[in-house]
Amino acid sequence: TRARRHARGDATVTTPRASRTTTTRDDAKARRGRAERGMPTRILCVAEKPSLASAIARILARGGDGGDCGVVARRGLATEVHEFATAREGSWAFASGTRDGRAEWRVTSTTGHVASVEFSARYQAWEGCEPGELFAADVVKRADGRMVGHLEREARGCDYLVLFLDCDREGENICFEVMEACAGGLKTGATEPGAPSARILRAKFSAVTRESIERAMRTLGEPNRNEALAVDARQELDLKMGVAFTRFQTQYFLNKYDRLDARVVSYGPCQTPTLGFAVQRHLEIIRHVPEPYWALDASFDDAATGDTIAPAWRRTRLFDEETTRAFLQLVNDANEFRVTSIEVNAEKRGRPSGLNTVEMLKAASAGLGMGAHRAMQVAERLYMAGHISYPRTESTAYPRGFELKQTLTIQKSHPTWGAFVSRLLDEGSMTSPKRGVDAGDHPPITPMRASTEDQVGGGEAWRLYDFISRHFIASVSPDCEYETQTATLDAGGEEFTLQGKRVIEHGWTEIMPHRMIEDSSLPVCVVQGARIPLKSVRLRSESTSPPEYLTESELIGLMEKNGIGTDASIPTHINNIQVRKYVDVAKGRRIVPSQLGITLVQGYHAIDSELVLPTVRRHVERQLDLVAKGQAPYEGVVAHILAQMFDKFNYFTTNIAAMDALFEASFSHTTTESTPYSKCGRCSRYLKLVGATGRIQRLYCPTEEVVYELPIGGVFKQHNGRTCAICGFELLIVSQKGTGRAYPLCPFCFNHPPFEGAPRIKALLRGSPHPREHPVADDVSVSTCPECAASNRPGVLMLDPAATSPGKLYCSSAACDVLVQLPPSVKRSAVSHDAECAACEAKCLDLEMFNGDKATVCLRCEDELSKSVRVVRVKPPSSGRGGRGRGGRGGRGRDDERRRE
């Protein structure tokens, strides 16, 4: 039911997926007909970009025999067309169309995709349907009418179509778009791929050089339908998932909060997990609690140079000050270092593997001063100009048969590194590359010319070209060899180390000087058995530091590791979260999430963490890989994934209130007027009480962008700075209006119960918000409620943490109204943490009387106390009576009052 359609103008047509029916006999007959009439074969070549078309035309015009035919450029309907004629078409490995081998060529290009994926007209308007309907909506490929007209016009009368689109999945998809556009113009029998006599041919090339283009012409094949379908599947899935969530979120939140500065609250299957990585690092930073540690700094003087040398303490650091001071005293008493050993080891710093797209982007962001998105643009320009090979590849291993020596020889003439390359070749130092990963797409990125700074245009282009060239040369250079000398020095039984390095062979680091190792010999006085006077030793006190924000390079690495995006799309996803103001790029290209970005991610976590974690996208990419390999059907994969995401969408919309509470706390003016209330146990900063005058109240952490629900209808106050033993959050005291019941409350554990049997969040609580197993409840729990025990309920008597004299105990069960009042003579009461009744195993109470007496007694077993307490019932607040318990003032309800047995 999810038919995928191509559209040209206002018409929509289905994507051609049937195999070709043209026979070898038909093909041969057509060629013989042209030969008999003496007409040249007409060939149309289509590239993906105008600059590529121009370069390919110049290369093809030279002919297989090295001849040079003139190229005439004219303006087409959409892009330029380059025309020329050749006399020896047979050299290009597909059959000559005439007796004398004449051919007429047209080389033109698209400007990327010919068609874009859209919803059909019914679903275009946001108000035209519910967002959830988009999961089952029809999609079409809406073609660029001008480009389609251009391709159809240029294809008229042509016998062959040669596809020079980029050699990746997107390129394969564009191949089929071009084929569809040319179908009306090509000669009969030339429009359906799949048969042995195919007139639609696919050229696979990895660089815009004569060698690569001629090799592609000698090895022409067919476009890969499975890879094209994998792109179709990704486009449909991303469109439906992204637009459905984005429309729902935007319609829900638009104009609802005056401080929300966003026209669209977008969701993207790759964009959102990318943002999630940045927010996760932000949370790690703000949740970091500095921990003090201590270290020893000792030093001695090098008599030969006069320098002060500070060896490293082998223990590095300790988190106990007293122990560290003890070691300090031992070292100080020794007053000298004794060299106990010197170890010499041979080491190697291995040459790099071939350069793939992700490593290029990481290097550009970390060391070349350009973002990933910009680096990809620069790399594509270098590729189209013929300076480098195809820049979108996942491979780090050079394929078998790759002409490494020939590629390296080209660089001998370069004015900057030509001498190094000549030495490699002349001395036989060229080394086989390290074994990397061959993804089967393209070879690693390599330089194709010995281009100078002026030739590539200087600036960013030169910096990137310089890096790519040096990286390639390094990958076939010898390893860097060096030796390490590690001296162990003893002072009072404590070991210190000192390390020196001596370079034996710089190897590949000579061409990449930023990776070069410098010589650093041990001091002359450091020899086996030597005793060296101690100059100083001191105790250094520091604290642990939080991690820094992710660099763009680190973010790219996380995306690659978790399967978020492709080597070509990763820069786009990072650029999207910047453009939409979900993150800012700080100094050093560090990714800092904005308040909106943090709120979105935390909102997804509050409903369904899988919407922001990389697990879902990783699963989708694996399914798409199966489609690309022909191991899974396109329709089945799309239907399966859409069904899963539709279920997630329904769950998300049903529980949108969780995200709404966070948006309200983050972007409502009432929140800015809130005052700090209690401390967050995760970031150690103050939470704000939102809705303090209303019935529904929440605690909001503006640092982490998290909202914590509180029991509806409760009255809250702080618990004198006490904290939860489980999560570290400051405790509150919650009481219900009209009942007087009061219990301790941990905001975090109430929202994320660590024990079974906890009340539902948002419930109108009458009992304890935590079960007795929770330390917060256990601290005020005394004994089993006698009435609940008789009714087989799990009620426990809990001491009111906020009660003044005399103390009160309430049952923890919401179904029980028992209230125990201590005698009026009790000034203060607390649950003993040390004493337990030997008879009934109940906790004892520590009591302080008004007359100054103190006692630790059992509420159940102490006769004098049990005779003086009063057990009454608490009237439910629903009666609107103000909450006084029966049997209260004036002795009303005496029939319900009873002595404790």
Side-chain angles (χ1 to χ4, degrees):
T1 61
R2 300 183 176 94
R4 191 165 184 79
R5 299 183 177 92
H6 285 275
R8 185 168 65 233
D10 294 330
T12 60
V13 293
T14 56
T15 305
R17 291 187 181 130
S19 63
R20 276 174 286 190
T21 58
T22 308
T23 64
T24 305
R25 184 179 304 168
D26 295 335
D27 205 32
K29 183 185 295 185
R31 289 199 301 273
R32 285 196 301 271
R34 295 188 64 84
E36 291 168 358
R37 293 191 298 271
M39 297 175 63
T41 299
R42 292 194 178 97
I43 304 164
L44 173 64
C45 300
V46 181
E48 194 164 319
K49 299 175 182 67
S51 57
L52 278 178
S54 175
I56 291 169
R58 288 196 301 271
I59 294 170
L60 292 178
R62 299 178 66 181
D65 58 356
D68 192 2
C69 302
V71 178
V72 178
R74 61 176 172 81
R75 181 173 296 178
L77 290 179
T79 59
E80 279 192 337
V81 181
H82 307 271
E83 295 181 321
F84 58 92
T86 58
R88 295 197 59 184
E89 180 216 359
S91 63
W92 297 130
F94 58 96
S96 172
T98 65
R99 292 169 182 166
D100 59 5
R102 289 179 299 136
E104 293 177 354
W105 299 74
R106 298 174 187 173
V107 184
T108 188
S109 73
T110 67
T111 53
H113 276 280
V114 178
S116 58
V117 180
E118 299 176 359
F119 288 109
S120 57
R122 176 192 167 193
Y123 302 99
Q124 289 286 335
W126 284 41
E127 299 79 12
C129 67
E130 293 296 323
E133 296 179 33
L134 297 176
F135 284 91
D138 288 340
V139 295
V140 297
K141 269 198 166 182
R142 188 73 60 185
D144 179 343
R146 185 178 179 185
M147 180 59 70
V148 169
H150 168 73
L151 294 172
E152 185 176 21
R153 177 177 177 178
E154 298 306 325
R156 287 175 190 165
C158 288
D159 299 284
Y160 289 93
L161 173 62
V162 182
L163 300 163
F164 275 92
L165 286 309
D166 286 354
C167 299
D168 54 16
R169 288 185 189 176
E170 291 292 334
E172 297 301 323
N173 191 263
I174 300 174
C175 281
F176 284 85
E177 294 174 358
V178 171
M179 289 157 52
E180 173 69 14
C182 294
L186 287 173
K187 290 282 184 81
T188 303
T191 61
E192 298 175 325
S197 60
R199 294 188 178 202
I200 296 178
L201 303 165
R202 179 71 162 106
K204 293 290 186 78
F205 59 102
S206 58
V208 190
T209 62
R210 182 182 178 188
E211 294 77 9
S212 183
I213 298 301
E214 290 183 351
R215 187 185 306 113
M217 290 297 292
R218 290 193 296 269
T219 57
L220 292 170
E222 298 179 2
N224 189 317
R225 190 163 71 95
N226 290 326
E227 290 190 356
L229 287 175
V231 175
D232 280 343
R234 178 185 286 111
Q235 290 175 341
E236 181 173 352
L237 292 172
D238 288 353
L239 177 71
K240 291 184 174 181
M241 291 187 290
V243 175
F245 277 92
T246 297
R247 284 189 186 180
F248 175 79
Q249 291 175 172
T250 303
Q251 290 171 343
Y252 191 91
F253 293 114
L254 190 64
N255 299 325
K256 190 172 185 179
Y257 300 111
D258 42 18
R259 293 180 59 240
L260 178 59
D261 182 21
R263 289 181 297 176
V264 175
V265 184
S266 65
Y267 174 88
C270 289
Q271 163 197 301
T272 303
T274 301
L275 175 61
F277 291 130
V279 172
Q280 179 59 37
R281 175 57 62 88
H282 168 77
L283 296 177
E284 291 171 4
I285 292 171
I286 62 176
R287 289 173 182 171
H288 176 77
V289 179
E291 188 175 0
Y293 67 85
W294 292 264
L296 296 184
D297 290 335
S299 64
F300 64 88
D301 285 332
D302 182 2
T305 63
D307 295 334
T308 298
I309 309 298
W313 189 30
R314 191 179 290 278
R315 297 182 191 272
T316 308
R317 62 184 183 181
L318 294 177
F319 291 90
D320 184 274
E321 182 179 7
E322 291 185 9
T323 303
T324 314
R325 287 191 178 279
F327 290 134
L328 172 68
Q329 188 62 46
L330 290 173
V331 175
N332 198 43
D333 291 344
N335 205 33
E336 66 176 8
F337 287 109
R338 183 169 56 88
V339 182
T340 59
S341 67
I342 297 179
E343 293 184 4
V344 179
N345 294 305
E347 304 282 352
K348 283 187 178 181
R349 178 171 287 183
R351 59 194 178 281
S353 299
L355 182 66
N356 65 8
T357 305
V358 168
E359 291 304 316
M360 179 190 72
L361 296 177
K362 290 165 67 176
S365 178
L368 303 182
M370 65 180 84
H373 190 256
R374 179 61 180 164
M376 201 68 230
Q377 293 176 331
V378 174
E380 287 177 348
R381 288 209 308 269
L382 289 172
Y383 160 68
M384 289 186 287
H387 297 296
I388 65 172
S389 63
Y390 192 62
R392 291 197 283 266
T393 176
E394 297 178 9
S395 297
T396 59
Y398 297 98
R400 181 174 297 180
F402 187 87
E403 297 174 342
L404 283 166
K405 190 170 185 178
Q406 180 179 342
T407 305
L408 183 63
T409 302
I410 295 172
Q411 301 300 318
K412 287 181 67 174
S413 61
H414 199 279
T416 304
W417 48 74
F420 180 85
V421 173
S422 296
R423 195 165 71 247
L424 276 181
L425 293 169
D426 296 344
E427 297 177 0
S429 302
M430 179 181 171
T431 310
S432 298
K434 288 176 62 176
R435 181 180 300 173
V437 176
D438 187 356
D441 50 355
H442 292 278
I445 306 167
T446 56
M448 303 310 298
R449 298 177 185 169
S451 306
T452 63
E453 184 172 358
D454 290 338
Q455 288 171 334
V456 300
E460 294 175 327
W462 168 249
R463 294 201 302 274
L464 188 58
Y465 174 81
D466 178 86
F467 169 75
I468 291 170
S469 299
R470 290 178 183 273
H471 192 283
F472 166 69
I473 298 168
S475 71
V476 293
S477 297
D479 290 339
C480 171
E481 298 181 10
Y482 62 100
E483 113 181 338
T484 59
Q485 307 136 7
T486 305
T488 301
L489 295 79
D490 180 275
E494 283 303 292
E495 290 187 345
F496 294 78
T497 60
L498 202 60
Q499 191 172 78
K501 292 179 182 178
R502 184 177 68 85
V503 178
I504 300 171
E505 176 62 51
H506 282 292
W508 66 272
T509 62
E510 186 176 343
I511 195 66
M512 301 187 80
H514 66 284
R515 300 291 304 277
M516 190 175 287
I517 297 173
E518 296 183 1
D519 285 329
S520 55
S521 301
L522 291 174
V524 178
C525 60
V526 178
V527 294
Q528 182 77 34
R531 294 180 179 271
I532 307 171
L534 183 71
K535 179 181 180 180
S536 66
V537 60
R538 70 182 184 90
L539 185 71
R540 174 166 50 89
S541 175
E542 292 188 13
S543 297
T544 56
S545 301
E548 293 189 86
Y549 282 101
L550 288 175
T551 63
E552 186 179 37
S553 178
E554 292 170 334
L555 180 58
I556 292 170
L558 285 172
M559 294 174 71
E560 180 195 31
K561 179 181 177 181
N562 290 277
I564 302 302
T566 63
D567 52 358
S569 66
I570 281 175
T572 302
H573 300 315
I574 296 176
N575 186 63
N576 284 342
I577 61 175
Q578 295 178 49
V579 170
R580 289 163 186 167
K581 299 181 180 180
Y582 296 156
V583 301
D584 297 313
V585 180
K587 185 178 180 180
R589 299 206 63 81
R590 295 196 176 273
I591 309 299
V592 182
S594 65
Q595 183 182 18
L596 177 57
I598 299 169
T599 303
L600 269 177
V601 169
Q602 295 294 71
Y604 292 128
H605 278 302
I607 300 174
D608 182 358
S609 290
E610 287 191 345
L611 292 175
V612 71
L613 294 175
T615 50
V616 171
R617 189 61 194 188
R618 190 185 305 129
H619 169 72
V620 171
E621 291 295 339
R622 287 172 180 167
Q623 300 299 306
L624 295 178
D625 285 342
L626 295 178
V627 175
K629 295 173 182 177
Q631 298 173 358
Y634 159 83
E635 294 83 0
V637 167
V638 171
H640 171 68
I641 295 174
L642 285 178
Q644 290 180 321
M645 292 306 299
F646 183 60
D647 289 341
K648 286 187 171 294
F649 177 81
N650 285 333
Y651 184 80
F652 176 78
T653 56
T654 302
N655 295 277
I656 189 63
M659 181 179 277
D660 187 33
L662 189 53
F663 267 74
E664 179 186 12
S666 302
F667 301 110
S668 172
H669 275 299
T670 58
T671 303
T672 61
E673 300 168 0
S674 302
T675 56
Y677 197 70
S678 63
K679 275 191 176 181
C680 172
R682 307 184 77 171
C683 66
S684 299
R685 294 165 176 85
Y686 278 98
L687 304 170
K688 291 184 175 182
L689 183 63
V690 180
T693 59
R695 184 167 177 268
I696 299 178
Q697 302 175 66
R698 304 180 180 96
L699 285 176
Y700 163 58
C701 178
T703 306
E704 292 200 11
E705 291 294 337
V706 177
V707 167
Y708 299 101
E709 303 287 349
L710 296 175
I712 294 176
V715 178
F716 306 95
K717 63 181 180 179
Q718 293 161 301
H719 197 2
N720 299 325
R722 296 185 184 181
T723 59
C724 175
I726 292 178
C727 63
F729 273 66
E730 277 194 3
L731 302 180
L732 303 178
I733 296 175
V734 55
S735 57
Q736 188 184 27
K737 293 179 181 179
T739 67
R741 285 173 176 250
Y743 303 96
L745 168 70
C746 171
F748 184 84
C749 294
F750 179 66
N751 284 264
H752 306 282
F755 299 100
E756 294 183 1
R760 285 184 57 197
I761 294 177
K762 298 186 180 181
L764 183 63
L765 294 177
R766 296 184 62 234
S768 171
H770 303 293
R772 182 173 183 175
E773 292 81 8
H774 196 292
V776 169
D778 187 60
D779 284 346
V780 295
S781 297
V782 178
S783 62
T784 303
C785 172
E787 186 164 312
C788 287
S791 303
N792 199 26
R793 289 194 302 261
V796 179
L797 293 177
M798 294 184 172
L799 187 65
D800 185 343
T804 57
S805 175
K808 301 176 184 177
L809 294 93
Y810 295 98
C811 181
S812 62
S813 173
C816 181
D817 297 330
V818 167
L819 160 64
V820 177
Q821 294 181 336
L822 296 178
S825 58
V826 176
K827 182 179 180 180
R828 293 188 182 88
S829 56
V831 178
S832 175
H833 296 291
D834 302 320
E836 186 177 282
C837 179
C840 66
E841 298 184 349
K843 288 185 181 179
C844 295
L845 290 173
D846 290 332
L847 304 179
E848 181 182 349
M849 308 301 180
F850 278 101
N851 62 7
D853 292 344
K854 294 181 179 181
T856 300
V857 297
C858 175
L859 181 64
R860 299 179 62 180
C861 300
E862 186 70 27
D863 291 339
E864 184 175 346
L865 178 62
S866 62
K867 292 177 182 178
S868 57
V869 299
R870 299 174 62 208
V871 179
V872 298
R873 292 188 181 278
V874 180
K875 199 174 184 78
S878 56
S879 65
R881 298 282 298 178
R884 287 200 302 267
R886 297 178 66 184
R889 182 190 299 178
R892 299 177 62 185
R894 295 293 295 250
D895 290 341
D896 291 323
E897 184 178 321
R898 60 195 177 112
R899 295 283 185 184
R900 175 178 285 279
E901 298 178 357

